[in-house]
Amino acid sequence: MSYIGGKWKAVILMYLISKKRRYSELHQGMKTISERTLSLHLKEMEADGLIKRTVYTTKPPLKVEYELTEFGRSLEPILTALSNWGRDLAETKNLESI
């Protein structure tokens, strides 16, 4: 659980399932995460081997992309199942409140 625990790690990994993303894309997709928290989690997940950080030294600015490693991809079925469960639960709760 230390690999995906907490409020944001699973969310970040879900964003990276579909494609590589730049830092700004991740931050825009998760508007309520602070830049410090996002940066910290990305560093932790890179150190854990879940994501790969690629730096392109293009001119102008430096371009950095994040993508899942094979180890990170191994979590895809688990993350997808959790996402589906949460979506189903939200739909059930919405129907019960009507």
Side-chain angles (χ1 to χ4, degrees), residues 55-71:
V55 178
Y56 300 95
T57 54
T58 57
K59 292 185 182 178
L62 185 70
K63 179 179 173 184
V64 178
E65 287 183 331
Y66 296 91
E67 64 183 305
L68 293 179
T69 62
E70 286 302 312
F71 180 49

Side-chain angles (χ1 to χ4, degrees), residues 5-55:
K7 181 177 179 179
W8 294 106
K9 286 185 179 180
V11 176
I12 294 166
L13 293 169
M14 285 299 294
Y15 271 95
L16 294 174
I17 283 177
S18 60
K19 66 178 186 173
K20 296 178 187 180
R21 298 199 189 255
R22 295 180 70 174
Y23 179 90
S24 60
E25 290 177 287
L26 291 169
H27 194 254
Q28 288 171 359
M30 299 174 279
K31 295 186 186 306
T32 58
I33 191 172
S34 71
E35 289 190 29
R36 181 180 186 277
T37 300
L38 178 58
S39 180
L40 178 66
H41 284 326
L42 289 170
K43 287 176 185 174
E44 288 175 359
M45 290 188 295
E46 183 182 13
D48 289 339
L50 293 172
I51 63 173
K52 176 183 170 188
R53 180 179 184 263
T54 305
V55 178

